Amino acid sequence: MKIRRIPIALRLFLTVLLTTLVITTVSLGVLHWNMQRNFTRYVSDVEMQKLDHLIANLAEVYEVYHDWGNSIQAQILQIEGKAGPDDYDRLSRWWLRRQYDIALQQRYFQENTNPLLTVRNIESQGEKHAVDQDELKLLELNLPSQFQPFDGLKFPLSENQNAFRRSNDKDAKKEHAPVNSAQSGKKQFIQMPDRLGLSSRLSLYDAKHHFVVGEPSDDQVSYRAIMVNNQVVGYLGLKPVLDQDDALSINFFSNQKRYLLLVYGLTFAASLLASLLLATYFKKPIQRLLNGTRELTKGNYQHQVKVNRNDELGDLSNELNQLAVILDQHETSRRQWVADTSHELKTPLAVLQAQIEAMQDGIRKPTPEHFASMLGQVNSLKKLTKDLADLAQAEAQQLQCYMTEMNPWDVVLQEVENFKPKFDQAGLTVNAEGEGAVLQLDIDRFKQIMVNLLGNSIRYTETGGKVHLHTVQDAAQWSVYVDDSPLGLSDEQLARLGERFYRADDSRTRATGGTGLGLALSVKMAKAMGGELSFEHSPLGGLRCKLTFPKQMK
């Protein structure tokens, strides 16, 4: 069954779009739910700011009586006369409303009689009209006290006719029969207009949130603590003025919902556009990288991916381009390897074939001398194939080394002694001076390196020249230098030493049987044993070979 592919650009587009939509949906939903849940409480908290004077009065009352029940009972008992059957209950329910009305009157009187408060009130509210002085005078004569909230009443309550008056009643209209405020020194009840309707929504609770008096409510209630001597003695509660089911609330939240839906739509459009641009922004470089990898699989290692980005995709394109360069180098090296190998094998094989054909045609006789010449060609082929096998293992990091403790200087001196006949035959003077050290090396690989270096000096040093060997060492490493006199090398030739089949003087090396693999193999073997073989210009005018190995740390 074929599985339908989803392009990465489409996945990125859908991921960004859906993520934005989910976040927006959840955020707006939580905002709307939280607004519906806490809006009425917020309105109540704002209204509670207007009850500071009442809270201060209640604190003063509690400080005198030390108990809310005692406060209410003591202030009711200040009324003279014989109470009716339900007069105490009526006054208890009315007590908190009366305290609110007293606080409202006191605040109104202070704001309109204190010059500083009057100016501040006019500036903040923009009031232009003058306060009725007759009204203030009447309010001053009958200004109540929070300690005598029922001053002006008498039992039974049914006889308190016309004891109340509204502060804005210009025509002195009474709700009950007239009562002279001068009789017995009793005050008249002046009722302030409660425009916010706070008095019908107030409730009083003790320090443990137990209901005392007022209007109990099952809804959320806003509380303000009543403090006496920095201790909470009670709470003033206010029932919310708004209900989620009333017309005003429904209209308000409907408007808010429309605004939220508009915000949701704009967010959706913006996220759609941003997701599309972002997906396109990532799709183009990814497509170029995909095309680049396809070109590499086809063998087109010259192809370069152009992604001018300062991010991970830009880094990936640079690495892909670098990989293409490396693969191109490896392919070029592989082709050169095959060409050089076939060329090196072709020469001894052609010579051997010619000698055999000459014997078959009777041109050459099968003498020991001719067989020895043929054996020499076979040995050359054998040495070439062995060097190729060792070099291939070294490049594949599979060259086996059997490390053991040894003194490399002893091996150097031994090989110099073995090469003395060849040095004498080439007319070269050899000199060796140095000190040994105890190193962990493969003795056979080390001998092979020294043989290659000494043989290279013989092939590339003119007759009458010199070869000088010496050592340098410190606490960390031991080095042996092989210096020879001209022929010297140019900088370009020096840089290519160590490459496969490279010969500084091809004709001279072929004459002496060199394959061009010795130095390349020596570099690999030194590295396999943890050392390094490098090449420099020699102070004697020829080539300096520096072979360095680390000392074993104790």
Side-chain angles (χ1 to χ4, degrees):
M1 180 179 179
K2 186 176 181 179
I3 301 177
R4 184 186 177 97
R5 290 184 57 188
I6 301 178
I8 188 171
L10 179 58
R11 294 185 184 184
L12 182 62
F13 170 77
L14 294 177
T15 300
V16 175
L17 179 61
L18 293 178
T19 302
T20 305
L21 291 181
V22 169
I23 294 176
T24 304
T25 302
V26 173
S27 300
L28 295 181
V30 171
L31 177 63
H32 187 258
W33 173 80
N34 188 61
M35 184 181 296
Q36 284 185 314
R37 184 173 182 269
N38 295 323
F39 180 72
T40 56
R41 180 156 189 169
Y42 165 75
V43 174
S44 297
D45 291 338
V46 172
E47 291 179 326
M48 289 293 288
Q49 302 293 330
K50 304 179 182 299
L51 300 176
D52 292 340
H53 201 101
L54 173 60
I55 292 174
N57 286 352
L58 292 177
E60 293 176 358
V61 171
Y62 187 90
E63 191 172 8
V64 173
Y65 296 99
H66 306 290
D67 184 83
W68 294 116
N70 292 340
S71 302
I72 298 172
Q73 184 177 9
Q75 292 184 354
I76 292 176
L77 291 178
Q78 293 174 358
I79 303 175
E80 298 178 355
K82 184 176 180 181
D86 57 348
D87 285 349
Y88 284 105
D89 291 338
R90 290 173 59 189
L91 290 175
S92 296
R93 290 193 298 270
W94 186 43
W95 181 80
L96 187 58
R97 290 192 182 189
R98 177 58 185 159
Q99 289 288 355
Y100 169 74
D101 192 57
I102 292 172
L104 201 62
Q105 294 179 49
Q106 292 175 349
R107 179 181 176 184
Y108 179 79
F109 183 77
Q110 291 176 3
E111 289 178 350
N112 290 280
T113 56
N114 190 321
L116 294 177
L117 294 178
T118 302
V119 173
R120 190 178 304 167
N121 185 52
I122 293 175
E123 291 177 350
S124 61
Q125 299 182 9
E127 296 182 1
K128 302 297 183 181
H129 61 277
V131 179
D132 192 331
Q133 296 300 320
D134 293 336
E135 183 181 1
L136 283 179
K137 186 175 182 180
L138 177 64
L139 185 60
E140 182 179 7
L141 293 174
N142 296 280
L143 190 63
S145 169
Q146 64 269 28
F147 299 104
Q148 293 179 319
F150 303 117
D151 189 16
L153 292 182
K154 64 179 181 179
F155 286 129
L157 296 181
S158 58
E159 296 184 3
N160 293 275
Q161 299 180 7
N162 223 1
F164 301 90
R165 177 178 178 174
R166 298 186 183 277
S167 64
N168 57 357
D169 191 352
K170 302 293 183 179
D171 300 326
K173 294 180 179 179
K174 313 296 189 293
E175 294 181 353
H176 304 286
V179 174
N180 190 345
S181 61
Q183 293 178 353
S184 303
K186 299 297 183 181
K187 294 182 180 180
Q188 192 176 21
F189 279 69
I190 306 297
Q191 290 187 336
M192 301 295 295
D194 186 10
R195 296 184 179 88
L196 298 177
L198 299 180
S199 61
S200 62
R201 296 185 281 121
L202 291 174
S203 54
L204 180 64
Y205 300 83
D206 62 14
K208 297 181 180 180
H209 283 280
H210 296 153
F211 177 76
V212 179
V213 290
E215 298 294 331
S217 174
D218 295 331
D219 299 330
Q220 287 184 336
V221 177
S222 297
Y223 295 99
R224 284 284 299 276
I226 302 173
M227 308 287 292
V228 174
N229 297 327
N230 295 325
Q231 291 185 351
V232 178
V233 298
Y235 296 91
L236 182 64
L238 182 64
K239 180 182 177 181
V241 66
L242 296 178
D243 189 353
Q244 295 182 13
D245 297 327
D246 61 29
L248 289 176
S249 297
I250 292 174
N251 183 54
F252 172 79
F253 290 119
S254 296
N255 292 332
Q256 296 303 314
K257 186 177 294 184
R258 284 196 292 271
Y259 294 141
L260 292 178
L261 289 176
L262 177 61
V263 172
Y264 187 81
L266 294 176
T267 304
F268 175 78
S271 62
L272 183 66
L273 179 61
S275 302
L276 183 61
L277 294 176
L278 188 63
T280 304
Y281 178 72
F282 282 101
K283 179 182 178 180
K284 290 182 179 180
I286 292 176
Q287 189 65 41
R288 291 177 182 174
L289 291 171
L290 179 60
N291 294 335
T293 56
R294 287 173 178 170
E295 292 295 326
L296 291 182
T297 57
K298 294 177 183 179
N300 182 13
Y301 303 130
Q302 301 292 333
H303 181 77
Q304 293 288 297
V305 180
K306 296 181 179 179
V307 178
N308 297 323
R309 299 269 298 258
N310 189 21
D311 56 11
E312 286 77 3
L313 291 177
D315 295 339
L316 181 59
S317 67
N318 293 333
E319 293 297 329
L320 188 62
N321 292 335
Q322 185 65 24
L323 176 62
V325 172
I326 294 174
L327 290 176
D328 185 59
Q329 292 174 349
H330 286 180
E331 178 64 16
T332 303
S333 177
R334 183 188 67 81
R335 292 175 181 176
Q336 186 64 37
W337 171 279
V338 174
D340 291 342
T341 302
S342 62
H343 177 73
E344 293 297 330
L345 291 174
K346 180 174 64 175
T347 300
L349 286 175
V351 172
L352 188 60
Q353 180 183 8
Q355 291 178 342
I356 294 176
E357 289 176 349
M359 289 183 181
Q360 288 178 338
D361 295 340
I363 299 175
R364 300 186 68 177
K365 295 182 180 180
T367 62
E369 292 78 7
H370 293 158
F371 280 119
S373 177
M374 295 171 62
L375 182 61
Q377 297 297 328
V378 172
N379 289 333
S380 297
L381 286 173
K382 182 178 179 181
K383 183 177 185 304
L384 177 61
T385 55
K386 183 178 182 304
D387 288 344
L388 288 172
D390 290 341
L391 189 58
Q393 286 184 344
E395 290 187 344
Q397 296 182 351
Q398 296 178 351
L399 189 65
Q400 294 183 349
C401 295
Y402 301 95
M403 312 294 281
T404 184
E405 275 193 1
M406 58 171 287
N407 186 344
W409 184 242
D410 293 340
V411 177
V412 172
L413 294 178
Q414 181 182 352
E415 293 303 322
V416 169
E417 187 66 26
N418 295 337
F419 268 81
K420 270 194 175 181
K422 293 185 178 181
F423 282 119
D424 295 339
Q425 184 180 358
L428 302 177
T429 301
V430 60
N431 181 29
E433 54 185 2
E435 297 179 353
V438 178
L439 303 179
Q440 287 282 343
L441 297 175
D442 185 323
I443 187 169
D444 293 328
R445 300 294 183 189
F446 182 76
K447 283 183 178 180
Q448 190 173 356
I449 294 174
M450 293 307 305
V451 168
N452 290 333
L453 296 182
L454 294 174
N456 185 75
S457 294
I458 292 175
R459 283 190 294 270
Y460 286 95
T461 305
E462 295 178 340
T463 303
K466 297 179 180 180
V467 176
H468 178 65
L469 291 87
H470 69 281
T471 62
V472 174
Q473 62 178 316
D474 54 26
Q477 60 186 17
W478 177 88
S479 302
V480 58
Y481 292 79
V482 180
D483 291 308
D484 55 42
S485 57
L487 300 171
L489 300 177
S490 66
D491 292 338
E492 182 180 356
Q493 291 174 324
L494 190 65
R496 294 194 60 188
L497 282 182
E499 295 181 6
R500 296 187 302 264
F501 299 111
Y502 177 72
R503 303 181 181 92
D505 186 348
D506 189 71
S507 60
R508 183 184 181 95
T509 308
R510 284 189 184 279
T512 57
T515 61
L517 296 177
L519 292 184
L521 184 58
S522 298
V523 171
K524 298 294 184 181
M525 288 189 296
K527 185 176 180 181
M529 290 187 290
E532 180 184 9
L533 176 60
S534 59
F535 306 100
E536 305 172 6
H537 292 293
S538 172
L540 299 179
L543 175 68
R544 164 172 282 187
C545 301
K546 178 183 177 183
L547 181 60
T548 302
F549 291 102
K551 290 184 176 181
Q552 185 178 7
M553 302 303 294
K554 295 183 180 181

